[in-house]
Amino acid sequence: MKPDLLSLLRIDLPIVQAPMAGVSTAALAAAVSQAGALGSISVGAGDAAQGRAAIADVRRLTDRPFNVNVFCHRPAQADAAREAAWLDYLSPHFAASGAQPPASLREIYKSFLDDDPMLDVLLETRPAVVSFHFGLPDARRIQALKDAGIVLLASATSVDEARQVEAAGIDAVVAQGYEAGGHRGVFDPERGDPAIGTFALTQGVAHAVRIPVIAAGGIMDGNGIAAALRLGASAAQMGTAFILCPESSATPHHRALMQAGEGVITAVTDVVSGRPARGLVNRLFSEIGAPGHPPLPDYPIAYDAVKALNAAATKAGNNDFTVNWAGQGFALARALPAGELVRLLGAELAQASA
């Protein structure tokens, strides 16, 4: 029998709000946690000082457990020729906005794999839960976090990755289905994305590992949570469901796209950041991501280029190159305060399970 996840996480409802770097806020995470689920923030896009401040911001709003997510991608390998070719490919889009591409690109996010200052912050602040995306840190980091009494979660997109998560001593695995919005947690993108749907993956992982499974991807309401639980999950992780909450930092354009109805779709592309991720389709997907583009710089160096392009286009009044991550169930999102949404999800789950 698998350990009881709700007791492990000290939550009342089998709901985890996905970290969603760039969208999740301290207010969102705190409201979710206050309502009895597990709120989450991401510190993967910041440095140690920013991580410390983000954790403190949540703690000012709640004394309930919450999750802090870090990125465990392979550190980028700079390649000046590849990066120059990518900027040259993007240059007509910069020119259309009256701008020049940057002279060079940077590795804008540091991987937790070699970020000792961020590890020190986590060991000092001791959030209740830490989660890993894009892979796993080394055994020393995992043991240090466990010794600090922190519960550990990690994403997996295949049964093989889930087995690696269990073997590393992680407490629970997030089975991230292909429907999920945002970055895919694939450990080794060069080997390809297994692209397994949430429910097929949840069942496979639940049969393969002895640790609790958290299903993620396309789950938008209590019926979806109930279905995931019936297939062997102990909880559901939901990100897109929370994007329309007033506590999220989603832009007005992102919110409007999600509520636009017919004609808006999602797809997975790697041209935004250098790693596959699902979002609402715009010219980043249809033009920049069209077949025949040059080789991409490593993640997250490629992201530096798109962020610069988006800034130039937005300044010129053009939203065509905005990044609007969302899962396949985005049309079912509800614009409710986060605490109210959690309570509604709990009521829907109880009704679906009756």
Side-chain angles (χ1 to χ4, degrees), residues 2-66:
K2 299 182 192 296
D4 181 62
L5 183 66
L6 271 62
S7 297
L8 186 67
L9 299 177
R10 293 185 285 125
I11 57 177
D12 304 317
L13 294 167
I15 299 168
V16 177
Q17 168 244 317
M20 297 186 295
V23 173
S24 184
T25 65
L28 177 60
V32 170
S33 290
Q34 282 293 107
L38 185 71
S40 303
I41 57 170
S42 175
V43 298
D47 61 21
Q50 291 168 318
R52 186 187 301 277
I55 292 168
D57 286 344
V58 183
R59 285 226 166 101
R60 277 191 286 270
L61 299 173
T62 185
D63 59 0
R64 299 293 298 267
F66 61 93

Side-chain angles (χ1 to χ4, degrees), residues 181-248:
H183 278 90
R184 306 280 296 135
V186 181
F187 286 16
D188 187 359
E190 286 74 18
R191 296 178 59 185
D193 188 335
I196 305 169
T198 300
F199 287 162
L201 181 62
T202 296
Q203 288 178 281
V205 171
H207 281 95
V209 302
R210 295 179 297 278
I211 57 176
V213 178
I214 301 167
I219 302 171
M220 300 295 293
D221 57 22
N223 285 325
I225 300 169
L229 299 183
R230 284 194 294 271
L231 295 176
S234 297
Q237 178 169 286
M238 308 170 73
T240 303
F242 287 95
I243 291 177
L244 295 183
C245 293
E247 297 93 339
S248 95

Side-chain angles (χ1 to χ4, degrees), residues 288-345:
I288 292 175
H293 63 72
L296 287 162
D298 279 3
Y299 174 90
I301 295 173
Y303 216 165
D304 192 29
V306 164
K307 286 178 181 290
L309 175 59
N310 177 39
T314 301
K315 185 177 180 180
N318 178 4
N319 286 317
D320 289 349
F321 300 104
T322 54
V323 179
N324 309 288
W325 300 133
Q328 287 184 336
F330 72 91
L332 300 174
R334 293 169 282 195
L336 296 171
E340 184 178 335
L341 177 57
V342 171
R343 289 186 287 273
L344 176 59
L345 291 169

Side-chain angles (χ1 to χ4, degrees), residues 81-106 269-274 282-290 292-298 300-313 318 320-321 323:
R82 186 157 37 113
E83 292 151 21
W86 186 243
L87 287 171
D88 184 63
Y89 173 70
L90 297 178
S91 61
H93 299 290
F94 278 95
S97 296
Q100 292 287 328
S104 61
L105 297 173
R106 302 171 298 114
T269 186
D270 58 359
V271 297
V272 172
S273 69
N282 58 14
R283 290 174 66 190
L284 285 174
F285 293 72
S286 60
E287 293 183 24
I288 292 175
H293 63 72
L296 287 162
D298 279 3
I301 295 173
Y303 216 165
D304 192 29
V306 164
K307 286 178 181 290
L309 175 59
N310 177 39
N318 178 4
D320 289 349
F321 300 104
V323 179

Side-chain angles (χ1 to χ4, degrees), residues 122 145-146 155 171 198 201 204 224 262 275 279 297 315 322 327 332:
L122 295 176
L145 293 167
K146 290 175 74 72
S155 298
D171 296 295
T198 300
L201 181 62
E262 294 296 324
R275 267 185 166 264
K315 185 177 180 180
T322 54
L332 300 174

